[in-house]
Amino acid sequence: MQHLSSDVFKYAFVSTFPGDDSGSLKPRQTPGVLYSKTMPTPVNKPVLLAWSPELAAELGIAMPAEGDINLLGGNLVTPSMQPYALCYAGHQFGNWAGQLGDGRAICLGEWETPAGDAWEIQLKGAGRTAYSRRGDGRAVLRSSLREYLMSEAMHYLGVPTTRALSLVGTGDQIVRDMFYDGRPAYEPGAIVARVAPSFLRFGNFEILAARNEIESLTNLVNWTIERYYPHIEGDDKVLKWFGEVIERTATMIVEWLRVGFVHGVMNTDNMSVLGLTIDYGPFSFLDNYDPNFTPNTTDLPGRRYAFGQQANIAYWNLSCLANALVPMFPDTDQLAEQLKTYEDIYWSKYYAMMASKLGLDSVRKEDVTLFQNIEEMLTSIQPDMTIFYQLLIDLPLDTSDKDTIVNHFRDSFYDALSAAGSEQLYSVITNYIIRRKTNAGSDEDTRLSMMKSNPRFILRNYLLHQAIEELEKGNNELFLKLQEAIKDPYSKRFDEFYEIRPGWATQMAGCSMLSCSS
């Protein structure tokens, strides 16, 4: 185990591609380069608030000493580091936004693990970069705590994601207008150390195509394949690589839907080329099952990034990546055909996921209708998604009584069901029971399988809101409890959190919807 402040960082990306070495923090366009060198801006008093020991062990990183905490707070840069901010562009809410870049995330370099893998370590909230535009490059405790916990929560849920190594308080006060309503206030600052094999996004490729920097585009694509997709070879490797990005993206989206996750800001600059969940902002899990729910106030009224739209938006974003790759293809027909494979890949993965959640032994042709009926029923009666599926695991299969079936799911209801709602639930569940009884395996095996597919604990926004409020007052009890609960989301160990969203949290700021302000 090595200390961050004493070991040597690698810098393959910086040594491979052209960058702006000036170190200037002046906001500017940076044509011709893929990054800008940027030193973190020191903070007043870095204090370690949270540490991910399991991740640290995987990376071969020792428990932080004082020097490491200074490094994680942006107050120490070792000689082997070459900190930089990535330059990328993106489509935001469906519109081309031009150059964006890491406005407050600074990559320290690449850390080599005991297994020989390289992971980038990035400080989010470490100060201004060339891409900060009008921002201050900082992050507040509110958003940083959310990203720290959710990154790790998604990992333990089994969802592809970037990770979070540490949460450091800065001792500084940061001004934020939380809801863009003209009421700015001071909030405590913080920095999250994010780690991933790479933070490359669709937007890294989009900006090179938009600037007609085709040589750099070609080099970046080839480097990405060689480094992160080394199994892909041949003259058609770029096409195969795009196909694998499609597959990984579809996998990620299906996993989001499995656990009820809503990203909230699916801009192309927030789409990982490795198929990882990246950039946790105004996210949420579903409470009541509403496919039209978006947690992002900026996404109103169009709800482009609502829960039920995420699969379609992923396809749209992939089409943007395909457009960026066009200069590398003399004939774009193959690229277009590859893009079309997303639909079949997605639905195949989605049906398999639904069969797993429902405890079905396979996906039969007639099951598609059952999946559709369940989706329509959940959308209509809007039970708590997590608790509904937990109750489904223990559904008695020897009953056909309407009241018994409806009452079985009562703990998942936010409102009393209407007569029509009760009838719809009864009809769908009756057909489900008939199908489940035809499974080849034992019912106990089915239940165990369902328990692995349906989380019992999710990191609800109101719990995060409470933890933030308490931590800002110096009480970390709930925060520490949540930090443990996220590591075991499929068990009953943390059933004190097993309840529907309380009524007071429905309209409470930060408990249901949030803004991008952080």
Side-chain angles (χ1 to χ4, degrees):
M1 303 287 276
Q2 299 292 323
H3 283 281
L4 284 168
S5 58
S6 62
D7 204 8
V8 176
F9 278 71
K10 310 293 184 181
Y11 41 90
F13 185 83
V14 169
S15 63
T16 302
F17 297 104
D20 181 339
D21 294 334
S22 70
S24 170
L25 302 182
K26 180 181 178 180
R28 62 195 185 278
Q29 296 291 308
T30 59
V33 301
L34 278 70
Y35 63 89
S36 291
K37 293 281 186 67
T38 306
M39 297 293 285
T41 304
V43 300
N44 183 41
K45 186 180 180 181
V47 176
L48 185 68
L49 300 177
W51 179 252
S52 301
E54 295 83 2
L55 173 59
E58 181 182 342
L59 299 177
I61 298 175
M63 183 70 187
E66 182 179 355
D68 304 312
I69 296 172
N70 282 328
L71 184 150
L72 294 167
N75 283 14
L76 173 66
V77 173
T78 64
S80 69
M81 295 178 184
Q82 295 193 29
Y84 65 92
L86 280 172
C87 177
Y88 49 81
H91 285 82
Q92 298 192 325
F93 298 93
N95 299 305
W96 177 245
Q99 177 183 292
L100 297 166
D102 288 332
R104 56 181 173 157
I106 299 175
C107 185
L108 300 179
E110 297 135 21
W111 177 271
E112 190 170 306
T113 72
D117 302 319
W119 284 61
E120 295 177 3
I121 298 182
Q122 188 182 82
L123 301 184
K124 183 174 181 179
R128 288 188 176 91
T129 77
Y131 310 109
S132 296
R133 301 186 293 283
R134 293 189 297 268
D136 59 13
R138 294 302 190 187
V140 296
L141 179 61
R142 165 174 49 87
S143 63
S144 301
L145 179 149
R146 285 171 52 83
E147 176 148 17
Y148 172 81
L149 283 179
M150 186 56 78
S151 299
E152 292 302 283
M154 293 286 270
H155 166 72
Y156 288 105
L157 284 167
V159 181
T161 181
T162 57
R163 304 288 301 276
L165 178 64
S166 66
L167 175 65
V168 169
T170 64
D172 296 322
Q173 292 292 308
I174 310 298
V175 177
R176 287 292 181 271
D177 187 349
M178 183 175 177
F179 287 102
Y180 305 129
D181 59 1
R183 294 186 295 171
Y186 282 103
E187 299 185 52
I191 295 174
V192 176
R194 310 194 297 186
V195 299
S198 173
F199 286 93
L200 285 174
R201 307 126 186 282
F202 290 8
N204 289 98
F205 302 87
E206 286 185 283
I207 194 166
L208 297 175
R211 288 176 168 170
N212 201 31
E213 296 173 3
I214 308 307
E215 182 179 356
S216 287
L217 173 65
T218 302
N219 291 339
L220 180 61
V221 169
N222 288 332
W223 184 82
T224 301
I225 294 171
E226 291 168 8
R227 189 171 177 86
Y228 303 110
Y229 296 81
H231 56 282
I232 298 178
E233 299 176 336
D235 294 338
D236 59 348
K237 66 179 181 180
V238 177
L239 188 67
K240 291 178 180 176
W241 168 69
F242 180 55
E244 191 154 333
V245 174
I246 290 172
E247 192 275 335
R248 291 193 188 191
T249 301
T251 296
M252 178 187 73
I253 295 298
V254 168
E255 287 298 293
W256 288 4
L257 301 184
R258 177 178 67 86
V259 299
F261 178 75
V262 197
H263 185 279
V265 202
M266 285 182 67
N267 300 327
T268 60
D269 56 294
N270 293 336
M271 295 291 291
S272 162
V273 78
L274 300 186
L276 305 175
T277 312
I278 191 172
D279 286 344
Y280 291 92
F283 61 79
S284 180
F285 283 108
L286 284 188
D287 293 311
N288 53 300
Y289 193 91
D290 180 7
N292 202 36
F293 171 69
T294 177
N296 186 357
T297 56
T298 313
D299 197 25
L300 299 174
R303 300 180 184 269
R304 175 182 176 85
Y305 298 143
F307 176 73
Q309 292 297 321
Q310 293 179 125
N312 292 333
I313 293 299
Y315 176 79
W316 194 91
N317 289 344
L318 285 163
S319 73
C320 292
L321 178 58
N323 285 333
L325 299 177
V326 164
M328 300 183 66
F329 289 85
D331 181 354
T332 59
D333 289 347
Q334 286 182 308
L335 193 60
E337 288 302 311
Q338 190 73 278
L339 177 63
K340 290 179 182 178
T341 64
Y342 172 82
E343 184 173 1
D344 287 342
I345 293 171
Y346 166 76
W347 283 114
S348 176
K349 291 178 179 290
Y350 176 80
Y351 292 148
M353 177 273 290
M354 284 300 297
S356 182
K357 282 185 75 69
L358 296 171
L360 307 185
D361 57 354
S362 62
V363 179
R364 305 172 189 174
K365 186 176 181 180
E366 60 271 22
D367 290 339
V368 174
T369 300
L370 176 62
F371 299 157
Q372 292 170 343
N373 291 340
I374 289 175
E375 169 73 17
E376 291 170 1
M377 178 267 294
L378 292 176
T379 302
S380 176
I381 68 173
Q382 294 199 11
D384 187 275
M385 177 182 174
T386 299
I387 294 180
F388 175 87
Y389 277 106
Q390 285 296 307
L391 295 172
L392 192 68
I393 295 172
D394 296 320
L395 176 69
L397 302 182
D398 57 355
T399 182
S400 60
D401 179 70
K402 178 180 176 181
D403 289 341
T404 300
I405 289 175
V406 172
N407 285 333
H408 178 77
F409 292 98
R410 189 172 301 279
D411 287 346
S412 70
F413 301 154
Y414 283 91
D415 298 297
L417 296 191
S418 64
S422 295
E423 185 60 39
Q424 185 180 21
L425 173 63
Y426 170 67
S427 174
V428 170
I429 294 300
T430 298
N431 289 331
Y432 164 72
I433 290 174
I434 293 171
R435 167 62 181 90
R436 187 166 148 185
K437 283 182 176 180
T438 67
N439 274 356
S442 69
D443 189 53
E444 183 59 24
D445 288 341
T446 296
R447 290 185 67 260
L448 291 174
S449 176
M450 293 175 73
M451 289 171 65
K452 294 177 181 177
S453 297
N454 295 295
R456 190 171 179 89
F457 170 82
I458 57 170
L459 199 56
R460 298 179 189 263
N461 268 349
Y462 83 87
L463 293 174
L464 286 166
H465 177 75
Q466 289 179 314
I468 292 164
E469 284 198 326
E470 292 184 10
L471 197 58
E472 288 179 343
K473 297 175 183 176
N475 181 356
N476 67 352
E477 182 178 352
L478 177 57
F479 172 72
L480 293 176
K481 192 172 291 185
L482 293 178
Q483 194 173 9
E484 290 305 307
I486 61 175
K487 299 175 185 177
D488 197 10
Y490 295 97
S491 80
K492 296 183 178 181
R493 284 181 56 211
F494 296 93
D495 269 8
E496 63 189 284
F497 302 121
Y498 182 69
E499 61 179 1
I500 65 174
R501 180 194 63 234
W504 61 263
T506 304
Q507 299 299 326
M508 175 73 72
C511 293
S512 177
M513 298 193 71
L514 306 100
S515 73
C516 293
S517 170
S518 57

